[in-house]
Amino acid sequence: MLGITMRAVLMGAALLVSGAWSAASASTVTTNCPGTASTADREFTVTTVSPGASCIAWGPGNLNGNPNGGNPDPLFAILGPGFQLIDMTGSTPDILSLTGAGTSSGMWSFVLPAAPAGKLWSDIVLALRSSVAQLDPDWAAFGLQNGVTSGSWTIAAGRQPLAQANLYGRLVDIPTAVPLPAGGLMLIAGLGALAAARRRKAG
């Protein structure tokens, strides 16, 4: 009887732990951009699984995805060298999926294309742009933490509908193994010499 009771207690504890683990792993983070208290500002929001996103830039105007030309995308100047447009809603291929365009809330997700050999995608940025320029900012850009590939979005103030979403990122070299410093090589050589001396002594 005691064994059955103890088993029931252990099973209950395991269920509690697994419930707490799934609750922790499913925690979400909401990020506002620009995050000001002013009601004269349009507020963009994304909600993702932890570790979430960060508000990295916002501004007026259009985000056309063109890094150069007579009317370049202003986000390229903010993000810096190496960034490229991965996808824009309404274009092909459909790397970035978005629901709710033309409204004030929806969902987004993406599956990154395969990176070239020796490269990997880094510093992924999701940008949302409103279609009506009655309030500022017209767009906001969110830096996504590693592993964040989906979430929801809202335009929390102003209620102008969303016109488009852009996905940006950088291709970086895959890190190579760091060679051991000279001190580490000397330590390995010393340990090898000790092992050899022990074998000679034992023989």
Side-chain angles (χ1 to χ4, degrees):
M1 183 69 177
L2 182 61
I4 294 172
T5 305
M6 182 58 84
R7 191 177 305 139
V9 168
L10 289 173
M11 285 178 67
L15 286 171
L16 283 172
V17 169
S18 66
W21 174 257
S22 60
S25 62
S27 63
T28 57
V29 179
T30 297
T31 306
N32 297 321
C33 196
T36 61
S38 172
T39 56
D41 287 341
R42 181 182 289 118
E43 194 71 44
F44 295 87
T45 301
V46 297
T47 300
T48 72
V49 295
S50 182
S54 59
C55 173
I56 59 172
W58 62 90
N62 190 16
L63 296 177
N64 56 28
N66 297 323
N68 304 305
N71 185 27
D73 186 327
L75 196 47
F76 283 109
I78 296 168
L79 295 175
F83 275 88
Q84 60 180 288
L85 179 71
I86 300 172
D87 193 22
M88 177 187 298
T89 52
S91 65
T92 53
D94 291 329
I95 296 166
L96 173 62
S97 299
L98 182 126
T99 66
T103 71
S104 59
S105 65
M107 306 294 292
W108 58 270
S109 64
F110 63 86
V111 177
L112 290 172
K119 301 281 187 179
L120 56 82
W121 287 106
S122 179
D123 304 320
I124 305 301
V125 174
L126 174 70
L128 305 172
R129 182 179 69 81
S130 176
S131 61
V132 181
Q134 295 174 356
L135 297 176
D136 283 333
D138 294 326
W139 56 266
F142 299 84
L144 304 180
Q145 300 297 324
N146 288 340
V148 174
T149 59
S150 64
S152 61
W153 65 268
T154 64
I155 300 178
R159 298 298 175 189
Q160 284 82 11
L162 191 78
Q164 75 182 70
N166 293 1
L167 192 68
Y168 305 80
R170 291 194 308 134
L171 283 170
V172 299
D173 293 331
I174 294 175
T176 55
V178 179
L180 282 172
L185 293 174
M186 289 174 66
L187 175 62
I188 291 171
L191 290 173
L194 281 173
R198 281 186 182 171
R199 280 197 300 272
R200 282 197 301 273
K201 198 172 189 180

